[in-house]
Amino acid sequence: MQHARADARLDAAGMVVLLEDQDRTRWHRAAIDEGLALLDAALRQRRIGPYQLQAAIAATHARAARAADTDWAEIDRLYAGLEKLQPSPVVTLNRAVAVAKVRGPEAALAMVDALAAPLSAYFHFHGLRGGLLTQLGRAGEARRAFADALALARTAAEAAHIRLLLDRLCAGASSDTLHAKDERCSIPS
């Protein structure tokens, strides 16, 4: 089910397309249907493990016809189960995305900030943190988080996506002032 979304993850220019913005008609329906059938067969065995939970999370995304239809509460519950079976900072980071959708960015940010020590060198930690800070209107902190993510980007597409987010923050900051080159908009070092 994860692989079924591969063609929708980048646009024609090679830019990252977030899951919520993906054209779901580009998802490979046959692969999703096969994955759902395999998941159903695995769940009938009644031996739930981390792989079944990961597949159930992917299935919840795959079953949503539109991003707005995603059952984020179910994804939160599934990640909570995965945290119990296979605790890891990355699992908790992924759960924070669902928590942001269900309980808001402040609750998610508290979870993310608690992961700073183990994930300080992880691109997605800083990217998610920047996104949550942006939602909370904390632009300066968001820019610092995005700058950290940019330094850790592994691909040109990741770097371009973060630069786009920084540009959007800068455009918002600049519209609040008379100066196009707002001091608050520089990328922190």
Side-chain angles (χ1 to χ4, degrees):
M1 286 180 279
Q2 297 285 9
H3 183 67
R5 298 194 305 254
D7 288 347
R9 289 189 177 122
L10 298 176
D11 67 14
M15 294 290 292
V16 170
V17 180
L18 298 178
L19 178 61
E20 63 194 36
D21 298 323
Q22 289 177 10
D23 177 356
R24 292 172 185 238
T25 64
R26 295 187 62 201
W27 291 1
H28 293 277
R29 204 67 236 170
I32 290 171
D33 291 343
E34 180 181 359
L36 292 172
L38 291 169
L39 175 61
D40 288 343
L43 293 176
R44 282 194 297 274
Q45 301 298 314
R46 298 189 185 272
R47 290 190 306 248
I48 304 300
Y51 294 116
Q52 289 83 4
L53 288 172
Q54 290 171 31
I57 292 164
T60 304
H61 285 295
R63 286 184 175 116
R66 300 172 307 134
D69 298 333
T70 304
D71 186 348
W72 286 105
E74 176 65 7
I75 291 173
D76 181 23
R77 282 189 292 276
L78 291 166
Y79 269 119
L82 187 57
E83 280 180 312
K84 288 178 184 159
L85 285 177
Q86 193 174 51
S88 90
V90 173
V91 169
T92 302
L93 185 71
N94 289 338
R95 182 178 180 203
V97 173
V99 167
K101 300 289 189 180
V102 175
R103 288 180 281 197
E106 195 165 323
L109 184 60
M111 290 175 69
V112 170
D113 281 346
L115 303 171
L119 296 181
S120 64
Y122 188 53
F123 169 82
H124 297 289
F125 166 79
H126 296 287
L128 176 58
R129 190 166 185 279
L132 295 170
L133 289 164
T134 299
Q135 290 177 43
L136 291 167
R138 294 163 59 182
E141 292 172 87
R143 282 191 298 279
R144 285 189 291 282
F146 287 142
D148 290 340
L150 187 58
L152 295 167
R154 297 166 297 166
T155 67
E158 285 179 349
H161 179 72
I162 294 299
R163 280 190 199 99
L164 178 66
L165 296 174
L166 281 165
D167 288 347
R168 286 180 184 161
L169 276 173
C170 289
S174 295
S175 68
D176 293 338
T177 68
L178 295 174
H179 304 290
K181 290 283 186 185
D182 188 333
E183 185 81 21
R184 297 174 298 156
C185 203
S186 62
I187 296 175
S189 52

